[in-house]
Amino acid sequence: SGVCPQILTRTWQATNACGLSASCSQTVTVVDTNPPVTLCSGVNLVPNGNFEYHTACPSSGGQISLAAPWFAATDGTCEYFHSCASISAVSTPTNSVGNQVPLSGQGYSGILVYGTNVSGPTSSYREYIEVPLLSPLVAGQAYRVSFYVSRAENYAQAIAEIGAHFSSGPVISNGYDGVLNLVPQVVNPSTNLLLSTTGWMLVQGTF
């Protein structure tokens, strides 16, 4: 009807085999708090891209799901760091892996992008964060992808080939914390080693 909030009244009536009946009315108030999403050229389709929104402040490691709708694709313990944290290990800017001021807002995520699994020297450990887009991608349309990374001071190694993979549905691998057999549509060049611990480095591409 275009009127918000919308109030609906329903009447329920029950009649038994003897013809006796009873009725009651129920009033339902529908409140819409979600603004419409406009899909113009250049719109950001990634929700909570700066990890600022959270359902609760982090209190331990492995709590990326607090920054909804982000979640971990595998059993890897993806971190959520925010200044409202109840312990310093997952706070910002200083936390258990180093010191970095958020690019915007007060939060960011932390993932271990390469490691040797405890199950054996040839078994690699990975952490992946994942989020559903605000709208499905359109075939034939070009998209620009960009995100920022910073190497944690408390880790001596650096990598180059970190990227983003887009799928038609969620990628969920419970009980597994190894390498996912996925090819990213956008990836940082292998010749561009991501070394900086003092600033945020841009990873971007189009597909």
Side-chain angles (χ1 to χ4, degrees):
S1 66
V3 178
C4 294
Q6 187 174 19
I7 299 176
L8 306 174
T9 301
R10 295 179 177 178
T11 300
W12 305 88
Q13 182 170 332
T15 303
N16 64 16
C18 298
L20 300 175
S21 63
S23 64
C24 64
S25 294
Q26 178 188 43
T27 300
V28 178
T29 301
V30 180
V31 180
D32 183 5
T33 60
N34 296 317
V37 177
T38 56
L39 299 179
C40 306
S41 177
V43 68
N44 185 359
L45 296 179
V46 179
N48 199 17
N50 62 355
F51 303 95
E52 192 60 22
Y53 170 78
H54 49 270
T55 57
C57 293
S59 58
S60 66
Q63 293 185 322
I64 185 59
S65 60
L66 294 180
W70 290 91
F71 63 97
T74 68
D75 275 5
T77 54
C78 305
E79 316 295 353
Y80 177 46
F81 300 104
H82 198 279
S83 63
C84 71
S86 58
I87 60 172
S88 60
V90 288
S91 185
T92 63
T94 302
N95 46 60
S96 60
V97 297
N99 182 289
Q100 184 57 271
V101 175
L103 183 66
S104 65
Q106 300 297 320
Y108 48 75
S109 174
I111 57 173
L112 187 64
V113 293
Y114 178 83
T116 301
N117 203 310
V118 294
S119 61
T122 60
S123 179
S124 295
Y125 174 81
R126 299 287 194 279
E127 293 175 0
Y128 301 88
I129 56 174
E130 184 173 353
V131 70
L133 299 180
L134 293 173
S135 177
L137 302 182
V138 178
Q141 175 69 49
Y143 292 89
R144 183 172 68 88
V145 182
S146 63
F147 57 93
Y148 290 83
V149 298
S150 180
R151 182 171 68 87
E153 292 94 331
N154 293 350
Y155 287 88
Q157 291 79 25
I159 67 157
E161 295 175 88
I162 186 173
H165 173 77
F166 293 84
S167 61
S168 58
V171 176
I172 301 175
S173 295
N174 295 326
Y176 180 70
D177 58 12
V179 180
L180 293 178
N181 186 26
L182 300 171
V183 178
Q185 288 88 345
V186 173
V187 63
N188 185 62
S190 60
T191 55
N192 181 32
L193 197 59
L194 299 166
L195 292 168
S196 179
T197 60
T198 58
W200 291 95
M201 298 166 284
L202 174 64
V203 176
Q204 63 180 340
T206 58
F207 76 98

